[in-house]
Amino acid sequence: MDHAKHWRRLVRDLDRWSSASAVAPDRIRVLVTKEGGGQRPVVIVMTPEHWGDMIGVAHGSFESALDRVKQTLLALRPHEGFAVYTDYCLDPSTTDSLPDNLDLPEPGSGVWVPVHRQDGHRT
């Protein structure tokens, strides 16, 4: 896969959707329309290789991955100015990096609970 080619296409298509430009090798600045009108800047933090993973592994096509990026940008809350790549997707963030510890539970800290079907029998 030609990562540079797909990266340039991502920037071009985001620019057609709104206003976007590559501001660093791993940064795209996009003006996102706010609910009440107007636009606000948001920075996508992702490398061309990450974008290649999103196209191929996570979404299967350029168009599907692009739609997901747009959905993520539109869903950002007012205090979230960044969309940061992690595990084949973009996550909202207030900074250009995600915390190392995302407050995940410790391994083995869960509790097993029996599941019952609608007829009352355990599965």
Side-chain angles (χ1 to χ4, degrees):
M1 176 182 291
D2 186 347
H3 295 296
K5 175 184 165 186
H6 290 291
W7 180 258
R8 287 188 304 272
R9 182 177 169 198
L10 170 63
V11 174
R12 182 196 71 204
D13 287 4
L14 286 172
D15 189 46
R16 288 179 179 165
W17 175 66
S18 178
S19 177
S21 60
V23 294
D26 63 346
R27 304 273 196 279
I28 300 172
R29 183 177 178 270
V30 182
L31 292 178
V32 177
T33 302
K34 297 188 289 187
E35 280 186 31
Q39 296 180 315
R40 68 180 182 115
V42 172
V43 176
I44 297 171
V45 181
M46 170 175 61
T47 67
E49 291 76 18
H50 292 153
W51 177 238
D53 288 343
M54 285 183 67
I55 293 170
V57 175
H59 298 285
S61 74
F62 183 95
E63 291 76 16
S64 179
L66 177 61
D67 286 343
R68 185 66 190 134
V69 168
K70 291 176 185 178
Q71 290 170 7
T72 299
L73 295 177
L74 291 173
L76 292 175
R77 294 177 293 199
H79 65 283
E80 297 167 335
F82 297 88
V84 181
Y85 176 87
T86 181
D87 296 329
Y88 306 108
C89 68
L90 294 176
D91 284 334
S93 183
T94 58
T95 66
D96 66 352
S97 62
L98 295 174
D100 290 332
N101 177 0
L102 295 176
D103 294 329
L104 298 174
E106 290 294 320
S109 64
V111 177
W112 286 98
V113 179
V115 177
H116 296 273
R117 300 186 313 219
Q118 286 182 337
D119 63 8
H121 291 93
R122 289 177 69 167
T123 58

